[in-house]
Every structure is written in C-alpha cells, then in structure tokens.
Amino acid sequence: MQKWQTIMTSVLVTDSANSARTSLSPAFAQALKDAVGPDAYLDDDTDIAPYLDEQRDLLHGHVDLVLFPRSTDAVAAIVKLCAREQVAVFPMGGNTNLVGSAVPISQGPAVILNLKRMNRVRAVDATGFTISVDAGCILKDVQDVAAEAGCLFPLSLGAEGSCQIGGNLSTNAGGIQVLRYGTTRDLTLGLEVVLPDGRVWSRMRPLRKDNTGYDLKHLFIGAEGTLGIITGATLRLFPQPRDVVTAFVGLSSPASVIELLGRMRREASDVVSAFEGISRFGVDLATQHIDGVRDPLSDVYPWYALIEMSGTSADGELAHVMESVLGRAMEDELVLDAVVSASGAQSQALWELREGIVEAQKFEGQSLKHDVSVPVADIPAFLEESIATLQEAFPSYRLLPFGHFGDGNVHYNVCPPAGMTDEDFLASSHDVARIVYDMVERYKGSISAEHGIGRLKRDELSHYRPDIDLDLMRRVKSAFDPLGIMNPGSMFDMSARSGEGVV
C-alpha cells in the first residue's frame, strides 16, 4: 500500500520466517569460532538478541553467530570462510545507525562481525597531525587520545560515546563541525579494509598527497559495509583549540538564520566551527522533557541559531569577535536577542539544549526522520515551501526542522499530533517522506545528508537517483562483492548471492 509499510512487511516476513532460513552447519560454526578464539563469540539466541534490532525498534533481524575478532587477520579468516560457503557477513560497529544499515536481515545463514574488540590506537603523530586507529575504537576515545597529544580530532556526533570509527567511516558521518573541518571523508588519509574474498587491502599511509591512480579509499567510505570491512584508518588531526566561545541567538525566520550565517562567515572567517539552526518547537521539546535544559533567552522567538567559534590563541579574543558581529547584527535588527557563553560550562549547557532536541522526541511518540540537505542559500525557500505543503496535507502534524544549517543539512523531523497512535502515524510515513523528498529534489538536494541509505531508504535511493548512478553503483558492488555476501540488503536489493553477482 505505502512504501514504508511495504518495507516493514518484508522485514517482518523475513524475520518471522525463520523456518525457511538455512542455518550454519555445526562444523562451519565451529570453524568460525576457532577463527576468533574462545570467549569471542555469541551463539545463544538470548545473548545475540541485543545485536539484532535497529535502535528505534523498526527493523529486526536474525543471525546464527555474533563474532568479536581481535585483529585484522581474524577478520580476514572469517571472511574467507564465509566467502567459501557464501554466508552473509553483517559488519557492525556501535549500532547507532538510523537507517538500518547494521540490521542483519537474511534468509540464508548469516553472521554479525562486531569490531568492538579491535580498539587499539596504533600511532599518534602530533607533528604530522595524524592518528592511526583500529576501526573498533569509540569516537570519543579517539577524540580523547588526540587531545592528550595536544591535537583535535574534530568529528563530533551525538552518539560519540558509543559509535565506532569504522561505522563513522562506513557511513561518512558528518556531525556538528562539518562547516569548518568537513565530513569523515575529508578527515581520512588512509584505510585498511578486508575485501569480500578475505584479502586485506591496506593504504594506511599518512600522506596529504598521493596521486597514484584511483583513490580507492573513497569507495569504502560511505559504502555502509557493502564493499568490504574497514579494520583500520589513518585520520587527520588539527591543532587543539584553546579558545572556544558559543552563542545562542534569537531570530525571526529561517531567512534571518541564513543571513546571519553569511555575516558570521564573512566577518569571522574560518573560526566559525559550528552553526546550528533550531525552530522554537525544538526548544520547547528539549526544555519540557530533558532535565536541566533551560531556555537561555528570556523571550520567545520563532527561530534560533547556535553558533560556535574556536581558535588556537588563548587570549580570549573570540568572545570579542562574537559579540562584535552579533552587536552589529542586532543594530541592523537582524538579531533579536543573544547570549554569549562566558565559560566552558555555559557552552556545554547550550549544546545540551541542542542535543536534548533529539532525545526529547522520544517522549512524543514515534517521529518521522528525514536527514536531508539542500544548498545553504536555498534553506529558507525550501523550508517555507515544504512546511506549507506538509501543513496543507497534514494540518495536525507538528514539524521539527533543525540541524546543521551551516553545511546545508536539515534534520526534517515530523512529530505526531497528541492522541494519534504510533501505528496510524507511521502509516502516513511514505506520503510525508514523498512531500519532503520531492521538495529536496526540486532544490537539487540530497535525501540523505549524513545518515546513509541502509535498508530504510533503499527504495528512495532507487526512486531519486538517476538510472546511470544506480547502474554504476551496482557495477562497483558486483566488482568487489560478486557473491553478494557483504551486508546484503543494505543500499541495494540483493536478488542474488551467487556467482552471477548482484542484479
């Protein structure tokens, strides 16, 4: 009936039809256990269960084993065995993905390969500003190790306390500082990858310049584990900021938010490291549901910007820069009100408000999440037109656009009206998504800015990307994984897992 319901039905059929699945033979299961060693696997259904679900409980999978290799050699041995028997391999990091990339859905025998025990920092070069790590390292731990060396690893996400570097690479994670430092792709110098046939491809070289043919690492970044398993990475570091200042600004409209962004970048240059746009509804949700979160401004405004500047000088000059730019904008009646942090604790409180918006939505029931991007200058027109269209189609739905406006990324979420059941609300998800995504397409944007495709956006990928794009992507998939064993069903509909390849 509707695309979302079609996806969910197929998932539930796959999950419930376990009698039709082919399980691992005892001998083959033992061979996989031997490859990782004792106490490095789970084979009991109760123990495996926490690894089978997407965090919003929208998708459910099934596997016979969860394996926890400790080395690249162990990963290679597992993949070689699985390639020989054509057993599906589902790579997993922290399982924080929002599009079901890591959910193990397969009607054939399958295993999860979780890299959490591969968490070694291999090298830190504070002079060359690089760090080399295992893919199972927690993002926050990488940030902390870099900081101990007097450096900054700038990738910063809400899930940074649990997500793993391998997953960040596999989804080309963005986060709050893309405006200044770029996405994970921009932070990556080299990779180590176990290919679908078990061979190890390694280019863990800390080089800024390497113009020797195709830059193969970029094929694996953002591939969601469909082309191989990232086991290690060499990443860029930056000088550690010694001066950080944050501001929370009241504004009248999305147009004023984007106009302020332009002023900030022109007048403060590249010290602007983050720029978030937030609607009033987002502030209301966070202050209502999250303990300790308060509105930092005394009056209510339709829109807000959360701005951060950072620099390596310790003279405190950035606070003056922030106040000067905002003061001039206030004189021009662009900024309606503002508060500038005077301490690290105050900066943290402002960011807790922003992060609280994500958590607060859970108290309102299921939400429809659309991670999209459009050209920065088009954000106001895109929001105005899409909000009007959605309000006409669904007058009682509550719209929650917010996010990384500085790089064009809008988290266009929709919350249900009071009293509507989750079932009835989710039944409209396809119609809501089609309005949002059609509008994104009109503005030459992307239906997935930083979360990827996974299983939940697979149909949308085939609908919105041109046939030539899909053809080229499938050719790449077939060239790397002709048996179709690597994270089958993510990004593409895998209709074959044989020597005939992917169709």
Side-chain angles (χ1 to χ4, degrees), residues 175-179 257-258 261 274-280 282-283 303-307 351 353-355 357-358 361 370-373 376 379 383 400-413 449-451:
I176 62 174
Q177 299 195 89
V178 170
L179 175 63
V257 173
I258 299 304
L261 168 64
F275 192 100
E276 301 283 306
I278 302 171
S279 67
R280 179 64 209 182
V283 174
W303 281 87
Y304 302 87
L306 177 60
I307 309 164
W351 279 108
L353 188 156
R354 161 60 176 84
E355 295 304 326
I357 297 172
V358 179
Q361 292 173 70
H370 311 95
D371 162 51
V372 302
S373 63
V376 172
I379 287 178
L383 288 177
L400 180 58
F402 69 102
H404 319 306
F405 283 20
D407 56 53
N409 184 185
V410 180
H411 294 302
Y412 204 121
N413 297 353
E450 61 179 357
H451 293 165

Side-chain angles (χ1 to χ4, degrees), residues 2-177:
Q2 294 172 332
K3 187 172 294 184
W4 179 284
Q5 291 176 308
T6 301
I7 294 172
M8 292 302 296
T9 300
S10 66
V11 168
L12 295 176
V13 168
T14 301
D15 187 46
S16 63
N18 290 332
S19 59
R21 293 183 70 259
T22 304
S23 297
L24 299 173
S25 70
F28 185 69
Q30 187 59 52
L32 293 173
K33 295 174 184 178
D34 291 342
V36 295
D39 303 322
Y41 61 83
L42 299 175
D43 60 0
D44 179 80
D45 287 346
T46 301
D47 295 333
I48 290 173
Y51 296 86
L52 302 179
D53 299 335
E54 184 260 356
Q55 62 172 295
R56 288 178 292 164
D57 204 33
L58 296 175
L59 298 174
H60 309 278
H62 183 91
V63 294
D64 304 291
L65 276 176
V66 180
L67 303 167
F68 302 97
R70 295 180 173 88
S71 68
T72 300
D73 287 345
V75 175
I78 293 166
V79 174
K80 283 180 181 177
L81 289 168
C82 290
R84 186 186 72 195
E85 300 295 327
Q86 297 189 34
V87 169
V89 180
F90 292 92
M92 178 178 285
N95 200 22
T96 60
N97 183 262
L98 292 174
V99 291
S101 288
V103 179
I105 298 172
S106 173
Q107 289 183 307
V111 299
I112 287 175
L113 207 157
N114 188 297
L115 300 186
K116 70 178 184 179
R117 296 193 180 186
M118 293 181 62
N119 56 7
R120 179 171 56 99
V121 175
R122 303 186 188 184
V124 181
D125 180 357
T127 301
F129 288 94
T130 66
I131 185 170
S132 296
V133 298
D134 284 350
C137 285
I138 299 296
L139 172 56
K140 183 63 168 62
D141 293 340
V142 176
Q143 295 170 348
D144 291 345
V145 171
E148 290 172 4
C151 300
L152 170 73
F153 183 60
L155 182 63
S156 182
L157 314 170
E160 61 192 26
S162 56
C163 64
Q164 296 174 15
I165 286 294
N168 301 146
L169 290 158
S170 294
T171 56
N172 188 29
I176 62 174
Q177 299 195 89

Side-chain angles (χ1 to χ4, degrees), residues 130-446:
T130 66
I131 185 170
S132 296
V133 298
D134 284 350
C137 285
I138 299 296
L139 172 56
K140 183 63 168 62
D141 293 340
V142 176
Q143 295 170 348
D144 291 345
V145 171
E148 290 172 4
C151 300
L152 170 73
F153 183 60
L155 182 63
S156 182
L157 314 170
E160 61 192 26
S162 56
C163 64
Q164 296 174 15
I165 286 294
N168 301 146
L169 290 158
S170 294
T171 56
N172 188 29
I176 62 174
Q177 299 195 89
V178 170
L179 175 63
R180 182 169 180 179
Y181 298 103
T183 64
T184 306
R185 185 184 302 279
D186 302 302
L187 302 175
T188 306
L189 296 174
L191 291 181
E192 176 186 83
V193 182
V194 174
L195 302 176
D197 60 7
R199 290 182 296 164
V200 178
W201 175 80
S202 182
R203 294 288 290 182
M204 293 275 287
R205 301 183 181 185
L207 302 176
R208 262 65 174 187
K209 292 183 176 181
D210 180 8
N211 195 15
T212 53
Y214 300 133
D215 195 344
L216 297 174
K217 69 177 180 288
H218 288 298
L219 287 172
F220 301 103
I221 300 171
E224 302 182 37
T226 61
L227 302 180
I229 300 173
I230 296 172
T231 53
T234 298
L235 306 165
R236 297 177 64 194
L237 300 179
F238 297 82
Q240 181 71 37
R242 292 187 291 172
D243 188 9
V244 178
V245 61
T246 311
F248 192 75
V249 181
L251 297 149
S252 62
S253 66
S256 62
V257 173
I258 299 304
E259 184 178 347
L260 179 61
L261 168 64
R263 284 197 181 202
M264 281 285 168
R265 299 199 69 187
R266 285 190 297 271
E267 298 183 30
S269 188
D270 62 355
V271 299
V272 180
S273 52
F275 192 100
E276 301 283 306
I278 302 171
S279 67
R280 179 64 209 182
F281 182 39
V283 174
D284 288 340
L285 286 183
T287 54
Q288 177 183 349
H289 293 298
I290 307 302
D291 290 341
V293 171
R294 293 177 175 82
D295 188 340
L297 300 179
S298 56
D299 291 328
V300 172
Y301 302 97
W303 281 87
Y304 302 87
L306 177 60
I307 309 164
E308 185 169 277
M309 294 180 179
S310 60
T312 56
S313 175
D315 58 9
E317 179 64 21
L318 287 185
H320 175 70
V321 174
M322 179 78 82
E323 291 168 357
S324 295
V325 176
L326 292 178
R328 288 190 292 272
M330 194 171 290
E331 291 174 0
D332 294 337
E333 300 184 346
L334 173 62
V335 167
L336 304 178
D337 198 0
V339 60
V340 178
S341 64
S343 66
Q346 289 182 1
S347 290
Q348 182 178 351
L350 294 177
W351 279 108
E352 286 174 352
L353 188 156
R354 161 60 176 84
E355 295 304 326
I357 297 172
V358 179
E359 184 70 21
Q361 292 173 70
K362 299 176 182 178
F363 295 90
E364 299 289 323
Q366 283 282 9
S367 59
L368 305 179
K369 299 181 183 296
H370 311 95
D371 162 51
V372 302
S373 63
V374 295
V376 172
D378 289 333
I379 287 178
F382 163 72
L383 288 177
E384 180 180 2
E385 192 171 354
S386 60
I387 287 172
T389 305
L390 279 169
Q391 288 180 334
E392 181 179 359
F394 302 97
S396 62
Y397 284 16
R398 297 172 296 167
L399 308 185
L400 180 58
F402 69 102
H404 319 306
F405 283 20
D407 56 53
N409 184 185
V410 180
H411 294 302
Y412 204 121
N413 297 353
V414 181
C415 296
M420 178 175 281
T421 66
D422 285 347
E423 182 179 6
D424 288 342
F425 183 59
L426 289 176
S428 66
S429 60
H430 168 65
D431 295 332
V432 172
R434 183 50 54 88
I435 290 173
V436 175
Y437 294 151
D438 281 356
M439 203 70 66
V440 166
E441 187 70 8
R442 283 189 55 197
Y443 281 90
K444 295 180 171 55
S446 169

